[in-house]
Amino acid sequence: MNGPEIHVEFAPELALFVQRELHRTLVTDGVSSLGHVVESAGVPLTEVGALWVDGREVPTSYVPAAGDRVQIRPVERPQRVPGAPLRFLLDVHLGTLARRLRLLGVDTAYESTDIGDPALAARSAAEQRVMLSRDRGLLRRRELWAGAFVYSTRPDEQLRDVLDRFRPELRPWTRCTACNGLLKEATKEEVADQLEGGTQRSYDVFAQCGQCGRAYWKGAHHEQLVAIVERALADYAS
């Protein structure tokens, strides 16, 4: 590429994508948009907030000129996603995060098999879901409705990051962690075929998924789930 040189300053929050080289000079081709230039530098546009050139805000379609001094700012938090109810789509690598978001009552679709980036992007657009992924290539697909990079590999940190960034409405214990369906109260008789003898004798309060039929009760791992819910409500409930 042999064209106008521009001077770019990336926000510290974007250091992961630019190998911590926050200040650099880039050579452009004179015709590509600033959005394309930013993505070529390694930063998905899902992670970019405002773009400023010489003290004025510009759109991603702006074509940079020689000598431009560009500031790349991160997405503001909490991030608002206009146009549809806030709901998510997670790729195959984020199963634990999907279950925890569902535990909190957040509408979360999840693909348990690798269906490929084009299919994921198409589903995001068709269902107007925010695509959550650690795959930068997926987040650069133009057909995505909206997306966000998941910065950590640790489920606890992933959950905190998503809740902090989007501040979804939390309605714990209302969704099936297996399929995302809505839960309803159920009698022991209605779910008896899913209960072993010890469970039948020890528990009397049940819920059942209206979509897949899975039964729920306060079993051995309930205290761990309560801890996740209480921490989320304390930190992020609106």
Side-chain angles (χ1 to χ4, degrees):
M1 188 179 293
N2 186 19
E5 288 189 352
I6 62 174
H7 308 284
V8 181
E9 176 186 349
F10 293 94
E13 292 87 345
L14 303 175
L16 170 68
F17 304 105
V18 294
Q19 290 76 50
R20 303 193 180 280
E21 296 180 28
L22 297 179
H23 298 263
R24 62 170 70 176
T25 298
L26 297 177
V27 180
T28 70
D29 61 8
V31 295
S32 293
S33 69
L34 184 55
H36 177 78
V37 172
V38 171
E39 285 198 321
S40 296
V43 183
L45 289 182
T46 59
E47 306 313 296
V48 173
L51 299 172
W52 289 76
V53 174
D54 296 329
R56 71 185 192 281
E57 189 172 357
V58 299
T60 56
S61 60
Y62 171 82
V63 178
D68 277 353
R69 307 193 70 85
V70 181
Q71 289 182 310
I72 314 297
R73 299 183 179 177
V75 172
E76 291 188 0
R77 297 190 177 209
Q79 181 180 352
R80 302 304 178 193
V81 183
L86 180 61
R87 48 193 177 184
F88 299 100
L89 170 62
L90 279 62
D91 68 19
V92 66
H93 304 292
L94 298 176
T96 300
L97 176 59
R99 289 188 292 274
R100 293 188 179 188
L101 286 169
R102 291 169 175 176
L103 173 67
L104 296 172
V106 179
D107 188 342
T108 305
Y110 165 66
E111 290 291 348
S112 59
T113 57
D114 188 356
I115 64 173
D117 290 0
L120 284 168
R123 183 175 181 185
S124 166
E127 300 180 11
Q128 293 189 313
R129 291 181 179 272
V130 179
M131 184 78 238
L132 300 183
S133 178
R134 287 180 50 79
D135 182 341
R136 303 180 199 184
L138 170 57
L139 295 177
R140 290 179 61 176
R141 297 194 69 91
R142 292 288 178 258
E143 61 269 38
L144 272 184
W145 182 72
F149 185 77
V150 177
Y151 286 79
S152 177
T153 58
R154 298 169 58 87
D156 288 347
E157 294 173 357
Q158 291 173 345
L159 182 62
R160 286 197 297 271
D161 184 40
V162 172
L163 296 182
D164 178 71
R165 178 166 174 170
F166 292 100
R167 296 297 176 108
E169 180 184 2
L170 304 183
R171 301 180 61 210
W173 317 110
T174 61
R175 287 192 178 271
C176 176
T177 57
C179 80
N180 196 45
L182 293 174
L183 300 182
K184 58 181 181 179
E185 293 183 2
T187 65
K188 184 181 295 188
E189 290 72 23
E190 289 174 320
V191 298
D193 60 335
Q194 300 183 52
L195 308 180
E196 297 182 356
T199 302
Q200 286 215 18
R201 291 190 296 271
S202 302
Y203 299 95
D204 295 304
V205 178
F206 298 90
Q208 187 173 28
C209 176
Q211 184 166 309
C212 74
R214 179 172 175 171
Y216 288 86
W217 60 91
K218 297 179 180 179
H221 301 292
H222 186 68
E223 289 186 3
Q224 298 174 25
L225 301 180
V226 168
I228 293 171
V229 168
E230 290 184 344
R231 187 161 54 244
L233 290 176
D235 293 340
Y236 302 108
S238 56

mmCIF file of all heavy atoms in Angstrom, residues 121-162:
data_model
loop_
_atom_site.group_PDB
_atom_site.id
_atom_site.type_symbol
_atom_site.label_atom_id
_atom_site.label_comp_id
_atom_site.label_asym_id
_atom_site.label_seq_id
_atom_site.Cartn_x
_atom_site.Cartn_y
_atom_site.Cartn_z
ATOM 1 N N ALA A 121 -23.518 -15.716 11.513
ATOM 2 C CA ALA A 121 -23.801 -14.328 11.162
ATOM 3 C C ALA A 121 -25.218 -14.187 10.616
ATOM 4 O O ALA A 121 -25.931 -13.228 10.930
ATOM 5 C CB ALA A 121 -22.778 -13.828 10.153
ATOM 6 N N ALA A 122 -25.636 -15.157 9.810
ATOM 7 C CA ALA A 122 -26.995 -15.113 9.254
ATOM 8 C C ALA A 122 -28.040 -15.235 10.354
ATOM 9 O O ALA A 122 -29.071 -14.548 10.326
ATOM 10 C CB ALA A 122 -27.167 -16.222 8.221
ATOM 11 N N ARG A 123 -27.789 -16.091 11.340
ATOM 12 C CA ARG A 123 -28.748 -16.230 12.439
ATOM 13 C C ARG A 123 -28.793 -14.949 13.269
ATOM 14 O O ARG A 123 -29.865 -14.516 13.703
ATOM 15 C CB ARG A 123 -28.388 -17.428 13.327
ATOM 16 C CG ARG A 123 -29.409 -17.643 14.435
ATOM 17 C CD ARG A 123 -29.169 -18.891 15.258
ATOM 18 N NE ARG A 123 -30.194 -19.014 16.271
ATOM 19 C CZ ARG A 123 -30.216 -19.941 17.223
ATOM 20 N NH1 ARG A 123 -29.255 -20.863 17.268
ATOM 21 N NH2 ARG A 123 -31.196 -19.987 18.113
ATOM 22 N N SER A 124 -27.627 -14.344 13.520
ATOM 23 C CA SER A 124 -27.597 -13.076 14.244
ATOM 24 C C SER A 124 -28.485 -12.045 13.557
ATOM 25 O O SER A 124 -29.250 -11.323 14.213
ATOM 26 C CB SER A 124 -26.158 -12.564 14.330
ATOM 27 O OG SER A 124 -26.108 -11.209 14.721
ATOM 28 N N ALA A 125 -28.388 -11.984 12.228
ATOM 29 C CA ALA A 125 -29.183 -11.007 11.483
ATOM 30 C C ALA A 125 -30.658 -11.371 11.471
ATOM 31 O O ALA A 125 -31.525 -10.511 11.665
ATOM 32 C CB ALA A 125 -28.646 -10.907 10.053
ATOM 33 N N ALA A 126 -30.951 -12.656 11.250
ATOM 34 C CA ALA A 126 -32.350 -13.078 11.133
ATOM 35 C C ALA A 126 -33.107 -12.883 12.443
ATOM 36 O O ALA A 126 -34.283 -12.512 12.437
ATOM 37 C CB ALA A 126 -32.413 -14.537 10.692
ATOM 38 N N GLU A 127 -32.440 -13.153 13.574
ATOM 39 C CA GLU A 127 -33.096 -13.085 14.877
ATOM 40 C C GLU A 127 -32.768 -11.802 15.632
ATOM 41 O O GLU A 127 -33.227 -11.617 16.751
ATOM 42 C CB GLU A 127 -32.711 -14.306 15.709
ATOM 43 C CG GLU A 127 -33.110 -15.626 15.062
ATOM 44 C CD GLU A 127 -32.730 -16.839 15.900
ATOM 45 O OE1 GLU A 127 -32.341 -16.669 17.075
ATOM 46 O OE2 GLU A 127 -32.811 -17.966 15.370
ATOM 47 N N GLN A 128 -31.976 -10.931 15.031
ATOM 48 C CA GLN A 128 -31.546 -9.676 15.655
ATOM 49 C C GLN A 128 -30.972 -9.936 17.051
ATOM 50 O O GLN A 128 -31.436 -9.393 18.055
ATOM 51 C CB GLN A 128 -32.702 -8.672 15.703
ATOM 52 C CG GLN A 128 -33.127 -8.202 14.312
ATOM 53 C CD GLN A 128 -34.117 -7.066 14.357
ATOM 54 O OE1 GLN A 128 -35.095 -7.113 15.109
ATOM 55 N NE2 GLN A 128 -33.885 -6.047 13.564
ATOM 56 N N ARG A 129 -29.940 -10.767 17.058
ATOM 57 C CA ARG A 129 -29.236 -11.098 18.296
ATOM 58 C C ARG A 129 -27.808 -10.574 18.245
ATOM 59 O O ARG A 129 -27.164 -10.607 17.192
ATOM 60 C CB ARG A 129 -29.203 -12.617 18.510
ATOM 61 C CG ARG A 129 -30.557 -13.232 18.826
ATOM 62 C CD ARG A 129 -30.447 -14.729 19.059
ATOM 63 N NE ARG A 129 -31.731 -15.318 19.385
ATOM 64 C CZ ARG A 129 -32.232 -15.403 20.623
ATOM 65 N NH1 ARG A 129 -31.516 -14.947 21.647
ATOM 66 N NH2 ARG A 129 -33.415 -15.941 20.837
ATOM 67 N N VAL A 130 -27.319 -10.122 19.385
ATOM 68 C CA VAL A 130 -25.932 -9.689 19.495
ATOM 69 C C VAL A 130 -25.037 -10.928 19.523
ATOM 70 O O VAL A 130 -25.170 -11.776 20.405
ATOM 71 C CB VAL A 130 -25.709 -8.855 20.774
ATOM 72 C CG1 VAL A 130 -24.242 -8.427 20.884
ATOM 73 C CG2 VAL A 130 -26.626 -7.636 20.791
ATOM 74 N N MET A 131 -24.135 -11.031 18.562
ATOM 75 C CA MET A 131 -23.217 -12.172 18.467
ATOM 76 C C MET A 131 -22.072 -11.989 19.453
ATOM 77 O O MET A 131 -21.343 -11.010 19.389
ATOM 78 C CB MET A 131 -22.664 -12.249 17.046
ATOM 79 C CG MET A 131 -21.769 -13.444 16.761
ATOM 80 S SD MET A 131 -22.700 -14.948 16.490
ATOM 81 C CE MET A 131 -22.001 -15.993 17.768
ATOM 82 N N LEU A 132 -21.934 -12.930 20.390
ATOM 83 C CA LEU A 132 -20.812 -12.908 21.325
ATOM 84 C C LEU A 132 -19.820 -13.985 20.912
ATOM 85 O O LEU A 132 -20.193 -15.150 20.737
ATOM 86 C CB LEU A 132 -21.294 -13.173 22.760
ATOM 87 C CG LEU A 132 -22.308 -12.189 23.338
ATOM 88 C CD1 LEU A 132 -22.614 -12.561 24.791
ATOM 89 C CD2 LEU A 132 -21.797 -10.754 23.259
ATOM 90 N N SER A 133 -18.565 -13.604 20.761
ATOM 91 C CA SER A 133 -17.571 -14.554 20.270
ATOM 92 C C SER A 133 -16.171 -14.042 20.581
ATOM 93 O O SER A 133 -15.963 -12.844 20.803
ATOM 94 C CB SER A 133 -17.724 -14.742 18.756
ATOM 95 O OG SER A 133 -16.748 -15.620 18.246
ATOM 96 N N ARG A 134 -15.209 -14.970 20.569
ATOM 97 C CA ARG A 134 -13.796 -14.604 20.625
ATOM 98 C C ARG A 134 -13.154 -14.725 19.239
ATOM 99 O O ARG A 134 -11.938 -14.597 19.103
ATOM 100 C CB ARG A 134 -13.059 -15.498 21.635
ATOM 101 C CG ARG A 134 -13.394 -15.154 23.080
ATOM 102 C CD ARG A 134 -12.663 -16.039 24.078
ATOM 103 N NE ARG A 134 -11.236 -16.117 23.827
ATOM 104 C CZ ARG A 134 -10.351 -15.173 24.172
ATOM 105 N NH1 ARG A 134 -10.775 -14.067 24.784
ATOM 106 N NH2 ARG A 134 -9.067 -15.338 23.916
ATOM 107 N N ASP A 135 -13.962 -14.955 18.237
ATOM 108 C CA ASP A 135 -13.502 -15.116 16.862
ATOM 109 C C ASP A 135 -13.575 -13.760 16.163
ATOM 110 O O ASP A 135 -14.647 -13.284 15.806
ATOM 111 C CB ASP A 135 -14.377 -16.151 16.145
ATOM 112 C CG ASP A 135 -13.930 -16.428 14.716
ATOM 113 O OD1 ASP A 135 -13.192 -15.604 14.143
ATOM 114 O OD2 ASP A 135 -14.332 -17.470 14.172
ATOM 115 N N ARG A 136 -12.431 -13.138 15.946
ATOM 116 C CA ARG A 136 -12.418 -11.801 15.349
ATOM 117 C C ARG A 136 -12.920 -11.837 13.907
ATOM 118 O O ARG A 136 -13.561 -10.892 13.448
ATOM 119 C CB ARG A 136 -11.006 -11.223 15.401
ATOM 120 C CG ARG A 136 -10.432 -11.148 16.806
ATOM 121 C CD ARG A 136 -9.025 -10.579 16.794
ATOM 122 N NE ARG A 136 -8.321 -10.918 18.029
ATOM 123 C CZ ARG A 136 -7.102 -10.486 18.330
ATOM 124 N NH1 ARG A 136 -6.459 -9.721 17.484
ATOM 125 N NH2 ARG A 136 -6.521 -10.836 19.469
ATOM 126 N N GLY A 137 -12.620 -12.905 13.202
ATOM 127 C CA GLY A 137 -13.094 -13.023 11.828
ATOM 128 C C GLY A 137 -14.609 -13.043 11.749
ATOM 129 O O GLY A 137 -15.206 -12.405 10.872
ATOM 130 N N LEU A 138 -15.242 -13.765 12.668
ATOM 131 C CA LEU A 138 -16.701 -13.802 12.716
ATOM 132 C C LEU A 138 -17.262 -12.413 12.979
ATOM 133 O O LEU A 138 -18.236 -11.991 12.343
ATOM 134 C CB LEU A 138 -17.153 -14.785 13.807
ATOM 135 C CG LEU A 138 -18.629 -14.803 14.170
ATOM 136 C CD1 LEU A 138 -19.496 -15.096 12.957
ATOM 137 C CD2 LEU A 138 -18.886 -15.835 15.275
ATOM 138 N N LEU A 139 -16.664 -11.688 13.892
ATOM 139 C CA LEU A 139 -17.175 -10.368 14.256
ATOM 140 C C LEU A 139 -16.967 -9.335 13.151
ATOM 141 O O LEU A 139 -17.556 -8.258 13.190
ATOM 142 C CB LEU A 139 -16.514 -9.889 15.549
ATOM 143 C CG LEU A 139 -16.848 -10.722 16.787
ATOM 144 C CD1 LEU A 139 -16.079 -10.218 17.994
ATOM 145 C CD2 LEU A 139 -18.347 -10.712 17.073
ATOM 146 N N ARG A 140 -16.141 -9.655 12.163
ATOM 147 C CA ARG A 140 -15.932 -8.735 11.045
ATOM 148 C C ARG A 140 -16.903 -8.991 9.894
ATOM 149 O O ARG A 140 -16.916 -8.236 8.919
ATOM 150 C CB ARG A 140 -14.489 -8.856 10.543
ATOM 151 C CG ARG A 140 -13.461 -8.315 11.512
ATOM 152 C CD ARG A 140 -12.045 -8.491 10.978
ATOM 153 N NE ARG A 140 -11.848 -7.769 9.710
ATOM 154 C CZ ARG A 140 -10.674 -7.717 9.087
ATOM 155 N NH1 ARG A 140 -9.618 -8.338 9.589
ATOM 156 N NH2 ARG A 140 -10.563 -7.048 7.952
ATOM 157 N N ARG A 141 -17.737 -9.996 9.984
ATOM 158 C CA ARG A 141 -18.656 -10.307 8.881
ATOM 159 C C ARG A 141 -19.724 -9.214 8.774
ATOM 160 O O ARG A 141 -20.363 -8.834 9.751
ATOM 161 C CB ARG A 141 -19.297 -11.675 9.084
ATOM 162 C CG ARG A 141 -18.282 -12.827 9.065
ATOM 163 C CD ARG A 141 -18.981 -14.155 8.925
ATOM 164 N NE ARG A 141 -19.568 -14.311 7.603
ATOM 165 C CZ ARG A 141 -18.937 -14.861 6.556
ATOM 166 N NH1 ARG A 141 -17.696 -15.291 6.674
ATOM 167 N NH2 ARG A 141 -19.549 -14.975 5.400
ATOM 168 N N ARG A 142 -19.914 -8.751 7.559
ATOM 169 C CA ARG A 142 -20.802 -7.607 7.327
ATOM 170 C C ARG A 142 -22.265 -7.914 7.637
ATOM 171 O O ARG A 142 -23.041 -7.022 7.963
ATOM 172 C CB ARG A 142 -20.671 -7.156 5.863
ATOM 173 C CG ARG A 142 -19.313 -6.544 5.540
ATOM 174 C CD ARG A 142 -19.166 -5.171 6.169
ATOM 175 N NE ARG A 142 -17.847 -4.601 5.908
ATOM 176 C CZ ARG A 142 -16.863 -4.571 6.787
ATOM 177 N NH1 ARG A 142 -17.056 -5.087 7.987
ATOM 178 N NH2 ARG A 142 -15.701 -4.026 6.492
ATOM 179 N N GLU A 143 -22.664 -9.202 7.514
ATOM 180 C CA GLU A 143 -24.081 -9.516 7.696
ATOM 181 C C GLU A 143 -24.493 -9.599 9.166
ATOM 182 O O GLU A 143 -25.676 -9.749 9.479
ATOM 183 C CB GLU A 143 -24.447 -10.825 6.981
ATOM 184 C CG GLU A 143 -23.708 -12.054 7.476
ATOM 185 C CD GLU A 143 -22.418 -12.345 6.719
ATOM 186 O OE1 GLU A 143 -21.717 -11.380 6.374
ATOM 187 O OE2 GLU A 143 -22.120 -13.521 6.480
ATOM 188 N N LEU A 144 -23.535 -9.533 10.085
ATOM 189 C CA LEU A 144 -23.888 -9.534 11.507
ATOM 190 C C LEU A 144 -24.851 -8.390 11.812
ATOM 191 O O LEU A 144 -24.666 -7.269 11.336
ATOM 192 C CB LEU A 144 -22.649 -9.342 12.369
ATOM 193 C CG LEU A 144 -21.829 -10.546 12.809
ATOM 194 C CD1 LEU A 144 -20.717 -10.077 13.733
ATOM 195 C CD2 LEU A 144 -22.669 -11.591 13.512
ATOM 196 N N TRP A 145 -25.841 -8.682 12.670
ATOM 197 C CA TRP A 145 -26.726 -7.608 13.113
ATOM 198 C C TRP A 145 -26.011 -6.730 14.141
ATOM 199 O O TRP A 145 -26.040 -5.504 14.076
ATOM 200 C CB TRP A 145 -28.007 -8.210 13.709
ATOM 201 C CG TRP A 145 -28.973 -7.159 14.144
ATOM 202 C CD1 TRP A 145 -29.729 -6.349 13.338
ATOM 203 C CD2 TRP A 145 -29.277 -6.778 15.476
ATOM 204 N NE1 TRP A 145 -30.484 -5.486 14.094
ATOM 205 C CE2 TRP A 145 -30.232 -5.738 15.416
ATOM 206 C CE3 TRP A 145 -28.847 -7.230 16.728
ATOM 207 C CZ2 TRP A 145 -30.752 -5.128 16.546
ATOM 208 C CZ3 TRP A 145 -29.370 -6.627 17.872
ATOM 209 C CH2 TRP A 145 -30.305 -5.592 17.775
ATOM 210 N N ALA A 146 -25.359 -7.369 15.089
ATOM 211 C CA ALA A 146 -24.541 -6.674 16.093
ATOM 212 C C ALA A 146 -23.635 -7.725 16.722
ATOM 213 O O ALA A 146 -23.928 -8.925 16.668
ATOM 214 C CB ALA A 146 -25.414 -6.011 17.164
ATOM 215 N N GLY A 147 -22.547 -7.299 17.321
ATOM 216 C CA GLY A 147 -21.627 -8.272 17.897
ATOM 217 C C GLY A 147 -20.766 -7.660 18.983
ATOM 218 O O GLY A 147 -20.708 -6.439 19.155
ATOM 219 N N ALA A 148 -20.082 -8.534 19.714
ATOM 220 C CA ALA A 148 -19.167 -8.091 20.757
ATOM 221 C C ALA A 148 -18.108 -9.162 20.979
ATOM 222 O O ALA A 148 -18.425 -10.357 20.986
ATOM 223 C CB ALA A 148 -19.911 -7.804 22.063
ATOM 224 N N PHE A 149 -16.893 -8.725 21.175
ATOM 225 C CA PHE A 149 -15.793 -9.640 21.466
ATOM 226 C C PHE A 149 -15.826 -9.999 22.944
ATOM 227 O O PHE A 149 -16.010 -9.135 23.808
ATOM 228 C CB PHE A 149 -14.466 -8.976 21.115
ATOM 229 C CG PHE A 149 -13.268 -9.864 21.272
ATOM 230 C CD1 PHE A 149 -12.973 -10.830 20.318
ATOM 231 C CD2 PHE A 149 -12.441 -9.748 22.368
ATOM 232 C CE1 PHE A 149 -11.864 -11.657 20.460
ATOM 233 C CE2 PHE A 149 -11.321 -10.556 22.518
ATOM 234 C CZ PHE A 149 -11.036 -11.520 21.563
ATOM 235 N N VAL A 150 -15.646 -11.280 23.254
ATOM 236 C CA VAL A 150 -15.560 -11.749 24.641
ATOM 237 C C VAL A 150 -14.082 -11.802 25.013
ATOM 238 O O VAL A 150 -13.326 -12.603 24.468
ATOM 239 C CB VAL A 150 -16.231 -13.130 24.798
ATOM 240 C CG1 VAL A 150 -16.074 -13.648 26.215
ATOM 241 C CG2 VAL A 150 -17.709 -13.042 24.420
ATOM 242 N N TYR A 151 -13.666 -10.950 25.922
ATOM 243 C CA TYR A 151 -12.241 -10.704 26.139
ATOM 244 C C TYR A 151 -11.549 -11.794 26.943
ATOM 245 O O TYR A 151 -10.366 -12.071 26.734
ATOM 246 C CB TYR A 151 -12.044 -9.348 26.821
ATOM 247 C CG TYR A 151 -12.263 -8.185 25.879
ATOM 248 C CD1 TYR A 151 -13.551 -7.763 25.547
ATOM 249 C CD2 TYR A 151 -11.200 -7.537 25.285
ATOM 250 C CE1 TYR A 151 -13.758 -6.719 24.661
ATOM 251 C CE2 TYR A 151 -11.389 -6.487 24.405
ATOM 252 C CZ TYR A 151 -12.673 -6.076 24.097
ATOM 253 O OH TYR A 151 -12.874 -5.048 23.206
ATOM 254 N N SER A 152 -12.231 -12.410 27.866
ATOM 255 C CA SER A 152 -11.589 -13.388 28.742
ATOM 256 C C SER A 152 -11.896 -14.806 28.305
ATOM 257 O O SER A 152 -12.862 -15.066 27.575
ATOM 258 C CB SER A 152 -12.067 -13.180 30.187
ATOM 259 O OG SER A 152 -11.518 -14.157 31.055
ATOM 260 N N THR A 153 -11.069 -15.743 28.779
ATOM 261 C CA THR A 153 -11.349 -17.173 28.576
ATOM 262 C C THR A 153 -11.960 -17.790 29.829
ATOM 263 O O THR A 153 -12.295 -18.973 29.828
ATOM 264 C CB THR A 153 -10.055 -17.923 28.234
ATOM 265 O OG1 THR A 153 -9.101 -17.739 29.291
ATOM 266 C CG2 THR A 153 -9.461 -17.410 26.920
ATOM 267 N N ARG A 154 -12.126 -17.010 30.895
ATOM 268 C CA ARG A 154 -12.655 -17.511 32.164
ATOM 269 C C ARG A 154 -14.136 -17.148 32.275
ATOM 270 O O ARG A 154 -14.501 -15.974 32.165
ATOM 271 C CB ARG A 154 -11.879 -16.924 33.336
ATOM 272 C CG ARG A 154 -10.395 -17.304 33.338
ATOM 273 C CD ARG A 154 -9.635 -16.474 34.365
ATOM 274 N NE ARG A 154 -10.193 -16.647 35.696
ATOM 275 C CZ ARG A 154 -9.835 -17.611 36.542
ATOM 276 N NH1 ARG A 154 -8.902 -18.484 36.168
ATOM 277 N NH2 ARG A 154 -10.377 -17.700 37.734
ATOM 278 N N PRO A 155 -15.006 -18.144 32.505
ATOM 279 C CA PRO A 155 -16.451 -17.874 32.526
ATOM 280 C C PRO A 155 -16.878 -16.784 33.511
ATOM 281 O O PRO A 155 -17.766 -15.981 33.179
ATOM 282 C CB PRO A 155 -17.054 -19.232 32.898
ATOM 283 C CG PRO A 155 -16.073 -20.229 32.376
ATOM 284 C CD PRO A 155 -14.722 -19.599 32.599
ATOM 285 N N ASP A 156 -16.283 -16.740 34.709
ATOM 286 C CA ASP A 156 -16.658 -15.701 35.673
ATOM 287 C C ASP A 156 -16.389 -14.313 35.108
ATOM 288 O O ASP A 156 -17.220 -13.396 35.223
ATOM 289 C CB ASP A 156 -15.897 -15.883 36.980
ATOM 290 C CG ASP A 156 -16.380 -17.079 37.784
ATOM 291 O OD1 ASP A 156 -17.453 -17.613 37.455
ATOM 292 O OD2 ASP A 156 -15.681 -17.476 38.737
ATOM 293 N N GLU A 157 -15.225 -14.138 34.494
ATOM 294 C CA GLU A 157 -14.860 -12.846 33.932
ATOM 295 C C GLU A 157 -15.685 -12.541 32.687
ATOM 296 O O GLU A 157 -16.052 -11.384 32.442
ATOM 297 C CB GLU A 157 -13.369 -12.824 33.601
ATOM 298 C CG GLU A 157 -12.477 -12.922 34.832
ATOM 299 C CD GLU A 157 -11.008 -13.069 34.482
ATOM 300 O OE1 GLU A 157 -10.684 -13.150 33.273
ATOM 301 O OE2 GLU A 157 -10.173 -13.102 35.410
ATOM 302 N N GLN A 158 -15.970 -13.563 31.899
ATOM 303 C CA GLN A 158 -16.811 -13.369 30.716
ATOM 304 C C GLN A 158 -18.185 -12.836 31.111
ATOM 305 O O GLN A 158 -18.701 -11.890 30.497
ATOM 306 C CB GLN A 158 -16.964 -14.686 29.961
ATOM 307 C CG GLN A 158 -15.699 -15.178 29.287
ATOM 308 C CD GLN A 158 -15.870 -16.564 28.691
ATOM 309 O OE1 GLN A 158 -16.829 -17.279 29.010
ATOM 310 N NE2 GLN A 158 -14.952 -16.969 27.830
ATOM 311 N N LEU A 159 -18.771 -13.438 32.129
ATOM 312 C CA LEU A 159 -20.099 -13.015 32.570
ATOM 313 C C LEU A 159 -20.078 -11.582 33.069
ATOM 314 O O LEU A 159 -20.940 -10.767 32.700
ATOM 315 C CB LEU A 159 -20.616 -13.950 33.664
ATOM 316 C CG LEU A 159 -22.020 -13.657 34.179
ATOM 317 C CD1 LEU A 159 -23.053 -13.801 33.066
ATOM 318 C CD2 LEU A 159 -22.373 -14.569 35.354
ATOM 319 N N ARG A 160 -19.091 -11.242 33.881
ATOM 320 C CA ARG A 160 -19.001 -9.871 34.385
ATOM 321 C C ARG A 160 -18.852 -8.881 33.241
ATOM 322 O O ARG A 160 -19.461 -7.798 33.253
ATOM 323 C CB ARG A 160 -17.826 -9.740 35.362
ATOM 324 C CG ARG A 160 -18.077 -10.370 36.721
ATOM 325 C CD ARG A 160 -17.082 -9.860 37.755
ATOM 326 N NE ARG A 160 -15.709 -10.225 37.408
ATOM 327 C CZ ARG A 160 -15.129 -11.358 37.792
ATOM 328 N NH1 ARG A 160 -15.817 -12.241 38.504
ATOM 329 N NH2 ARG A 160 -13.880 -11.620 37.462
ATOM 330 N N ASP A 161 -18.047 -9.229 32.255
ATOM 331 C CA ASP A 161 -17.808 -8.324 31.132
ATOM 332 C C ASP A 161 -19.091 -8.087 30.338
ATOM 333 O O ASP A 161 -19.425 -6.942 29.997
ATOM 334 C CB ASP A 161 -16.721 -8.904 30.226
ATOM 335 C CG ASP A 161 -16.348 -7.963 29.091
ATOM 336 O OD1 ASP A 161 -16.271 -6.746 29.326
ATOM 337 O OD2 ASP A 161 -16.135 -8.445 27.966
ATOM 338 N N VAL A 162 -19.829 -9.148 30.033
ATOM 339 C CA VAL A 162 -21.060 -9.005 29.257
ATOM 340 C C VAL A 162 -22.108 -8.209 30.043
ATOM 341 O O VAL A 162 -22.772 -7.315 29.494
ATOM 342 C CB VAL A 162 -21.615 -10.386 28.855
ATOM 343 C CG1 VAL A 162 -23.002 -10.257 28.226
ATOM 344 C CG2 VAL A 162 -20.661 -11.087 27.890
#
